Every structure is written in C-alpha cells, then in structure tokens.
Amino acid sequence: LAVLLLLVVVARGGHAEGSKVTHQEGGYQLTIERLHDALPLIDAHVGESVFSYNYNAAFVPWLSAEGTLAGRSLLLRNQMNTTKLKGDGNIYDVSPSVFSLVNFTETATSASNGTNVAFEFDDVTFSDVVFRPETWYETLGTEDPRVVYRAANGWYYLLYSAVQQVEQRNGVSFVNVRLSLATCEDGDPRVWKRRGPLFEDKNGTQWSKSGALLVRDDQQGPHYLFYGDSSYVPGLQVAVSPDLLSYVRLPGVWMPVREDFFDSYLVEAGPMPLLLSDGNYLMIYNSARDGYPSPKPGYDLQYNVGWAVLDGTDPMQILHRSGEPLLSPETAWEEGEHSLTPNVVFCEGWEQTGVDQFILYYGAADTVV
C-alpha cells in the first residue's frame, strides 16, 4: 500500500518543490515530502507571533452545518520567555503554557511538475488564546494539545497535559502531570468545557500525558486511547472508553521502547490514528534517543517521528512498526541551537487530504511550527 505524507513547513504564502523520501517496510510504502522554503510556518523571530515559543500544533477543522470542511486552524502551545522581565539572559525561563487557535488557508495551483500548495497563516496574538491555566490541577500550565473531531455528535475532544506544582508542608515541591479532557459541543472550537483528568491519582501523585484518541463509531467495541511518554513505564499504554468521556486503563506496556532503534529512550503518543484504504490504521508517534549533546544543560536527546500500522479490526495489534524514523531534525530551526529544546521534531496534528494522503503539522525545537 502506497501512502503519501506531506510535511507542512511552508513559508507563508510560499511554496517549494521540497524533498521526498520513501520508506518501504512491511508491505507499506510511505513517501514523505517536505514542503518548505527553509522557513517554518510560525516563528516569533520574524514577528509571526507575540509568543516566544510556538509549537506542538494540533489540527482543528471547522465544519459547516452540512458537515463539510469550512475552514482550518491550528491549536498551538505557546509560551513566553521571561528573560526580559528578569534580565537574567536565561532562554529556558518560560511562562506556563497556553493554547492559541490560529486560522490558515491553503491554496493549490497547477504547475508543470504537479501541484504547488501555498499556506497563509494569521499572526499569533494574545487575543487568539482560547485555553489557559484556570484550575487547581493546571497551576504550571496546559500543554501538548491533541484534538479529535467526532462526526457522530459534532463534538471536538481536546486531550491535553495539565501540569500542577504541589507545595508540601516540609517546603519540598513536586510536579503532577495529568492527561485531561475538554470538549467543544457547539461547533466553535474557541470555547471549551473542561471534563477534568482522565485517571485517578495514586497517593496524591500522577504522571500521565500525551493521548492519541482513536474514535471507533463505525466498529463494535470500545474507543481506544494510546497514551504516555515512557516516564513511568517503558513505552505507550492503552485505555479504553465506551463514550469518550470515561476511560479505563489496560495493564502493561502496549508499544515499548526498543534498544538500538531511534525510539530507544522513549516513545510518546502522536495525533489520532487515521484510516488507510486497506482498512488498517496508520499511527504516527514521537520518540527519542540519547547521545546528542546540545547547548541545553543536561539535555542530550534527539526527538524523531516514527510510524506504525494498527489492525483495523483489533487496533491493539501492531501489524508493522517502522525500523527507521519517518522524520528527524535536519534543518537549522529543527536542530535549534538557540531554541528552547534543540534537536526536536514532534507531531501532534495531521489531516487526511485524500486516499492514503495526509498532511502533518509539527513543532520544531519546541520553538516554531
């Protein structure tokens, strides 16, 4: 089965032929093409955002009353660098994360060598913020958005990491991270209703994050949530849900880290799996390996994007998992010497644009989209 993935890193209003790389494994041929002018989509350094850091983009479709696509947006994770306020020159000193919703348009034009696609994004402003820390379990920020639109009821489901700093009586503090849910029920993804953390704490602590939600309205059985960042167990875990509001964790590790592979240090969920023409699901996931020194103190990871194919009848069954990364840091703004987190490509959003054809939106070096 041949699959085309287009990496959207196009400069505003621009286009380029890009470069194509084909991966042929396990009966699948994935061709991934960068569409870029060597510039990211959203970069504060050139005035495209009021926030210092803009990354981890989730794709948000706008649907008409008839259910047709009426517009496109990205839900971004945004942070400010507080150096200017403190004057200490520390680029790693950041504010709690918020989410902004930024609209964009896509224009396709015919060319002698195929089709050129141009993207035009609005600038990111403070008025674009649609989700910010508000509750006791979000005191350090709201992070890592992933959005799923459910056609059966017209709802949007936002999975995000709620970060809380807990101050103990002995003066020692620690951090809780809870995979949490919010929903949009009126068709306007600027307004969200918090549903709270998905899982209960254990002894007042929790570390759960990064949820890829597989909605299965057309199949018997539960919906699936693939989640985690390998912090507490060495790989991804699974929870199931009858209604997309309540979740039950399944025991064990579902997708483990692999020694001597690009995902040897950690695996972390990506966006929701999407259906292929052969009836199986394509899953994009994030990963890291160590041994890549960088200017960031105590940090030597390189984040890559991997892929897997899940069985269409039983998504718990991994039919194939990539032996090589689909995407690795290559450009100056992905390697990011002066960025928040160097050597990172990280995907949390994509859309299906045709039969076995997808567009991926990703963050680079925790700084740009």
Side-chain angles (χ1 to χ4, degrees):
L1 183 71
V3 180
L4 176 62
L5 300 117
L6 304 174
L7 288 173
V8 181
V9 289
V10 185
R12 299 184 178 203
H15 63 265
E17 297 180 7
S19 57
K20 294 182 180 180
V21 177
T22 297
H23 302 259
Q24 192 152 359
E25 304 178 28
Y28 290 86
Q29 178 179 296
L30 272 71
T31 299
I32 186 163
E33 180 179 2
R34 288 175 178 267
L35 305 174
H36 69 89
D37 289 330
L39 293 173
L41 285 170
I42 299 172
D43 185 354
H45 294 99
V46 293
E48 294 167 346
S49 175
V50 296
F51 293 96
S52 308
Y53 306 113
N54 307 266
Y55 56 112
N56 292 4
F59 174 68
V60 181
W62 290 77
L63 282 300
S64 68
E66 294 75 29
T68 58
L69 184 65
R72 292 178 169 88
S73 296
L74 293 183
L75 189 68
L76 306 179
R77 176 181 173 183
N78 311 103
Q79 288 180 286
M80 294 296 296
N81 175 231
T82 58
T83 295
K84 293 181 179 179
L85 299 177
K86 296 184 178 182
D88 58 6
N90 181 9
I91 66 171
Y92 310 113
D93 195 350
V94 295
S95 63
S97 296
V98 300
F99 301 153
S100 64
L101 191 69
V102 183
N103 299 325
F104 69 96
T105 58
E106 174 187 340
T107 304
T109 56
S110 298
S112 59
N113 59 346
T115 301
N116 288 328
V117 181
F119 291 79
E120 191 71 28
F121 273 73
D122 294 341
D123 288 338
V124 184
T125 68
F126 293 122
S127 63
D128 294 319
V129 174
V130 297
F131 203 88
R132 56 172 51 86
E134 293 181 356
T135 71
W136 61 268
Y137 55 89
E138 299 169 341
T139 55
L140 280 187
T142 53
E143 303 179 358
D144 306 330
R146 291 160 173 83
V147 175
V148 175
Y149 175 78
R150 186 187 190 190
N153 61 0
W155 287 19
Y156 296 87
Y157 296 79
L158 166 61
L159 291 155
Y160 69 99
S161 302
V163 186
Q164 175 203 22
Q165 181 165 319
V166 180
E167 301 289 347
Q168 300 183 105
R169 291 182 179 179
N170 60 7
V172 177
S173 65
F174 64 92
V175 173
N176 279 326
V177 180
R178 299 176 177 91
L179 183 57
S180 300
L181 175 67
T183 57
C184 166
E185 303 161 26
D186 64 358
D188 185 350
R190 293 170 296 188
V191 181
W192 295 93
K193 177 181 179 180
R194 282 172 168 79
R195 298 283 183 165
L198 297 187
F199 310 121
E200 293 183 356
D201 289 356
K202 184 177 181 180
N203 298 323
T205 65
Q206 185 177 155
W207 190 285
S208 62
K209 62 182 303 187
S210 303
L213 183 59
L214 176 56
V215 177
R216 300 256 293 169
D217 284 323
D218 58 344
Q219 300 285 339
Q220 291 185 343
H223 307 286
Y224 291 86
L225 176 66
F226 306 101
Y227 72 95
D229 69 345
S230 309
S231 291
Y232 273 27
V233 299
L236 296 185
Q237 297 175 270
V238 180
V240 293
S241 173
D243 56 8
L244 299 179
L245 297 177
S246 59
Y247 293 81
V248 176
R249 300 193 209 210
L250 300 183
V253 176
W254 174 69
M255 178 183 285
V257 298
R258 298 180 296 181
E259 187 177 357
D260 298 326
F261 279 82
F262 64 92
D263 45 16
S264 57
Y265 189 86
L266 65 82
V267 291
E268 186 168 348
M272 69 283 197
L274 292 176
L275 194 64
L276 295 170
S277 61
D278 66 355
N280 296 318
Y281 296 101
L282 180 61
M283 180 177 185
I284 301 297
Y285 68 93
N286 300 294
S287 66
R289 53 188 169 190
D290 58 9
Y292 290 79
S294 76
K296 187 171 184 175
Y299 177 83
D300 71 341
L301 298 182
Q302 181 199 64
Y303 273 78
N304 304 276
V305 175
W307 61 277
V309 176
L310 312 183
D311 185 85
T313 303
D314 179 9
M316 291 287 290
Q317 302 300 316
I318 301 174
L319 301 181
H320 183 75
R321 185 174 171 187
S322 58
E324 297 293 333
L326 186 66
L327 177 67
S328 295
E330 296 178 4
T331 68
W333 40 271
E334 292 167 348
E335 294 175 342
E337 182 178 352
H338 302 293
S339 64
L340 186 59
T341 312
N343 296 320
V344 173
V345 288
F346 201 93
C347 181
E348 294 185 13
W350 64 341
E351 64 170 315
Q352 188 159 2
T353 57
V355 177
D356 299 329
Q357 182 167 314
F358 309 88
I359 294 179
L360 281 68
Y361 306 92
Y362 71 96
D366 286 355
T367 301
V368 300
V369 175

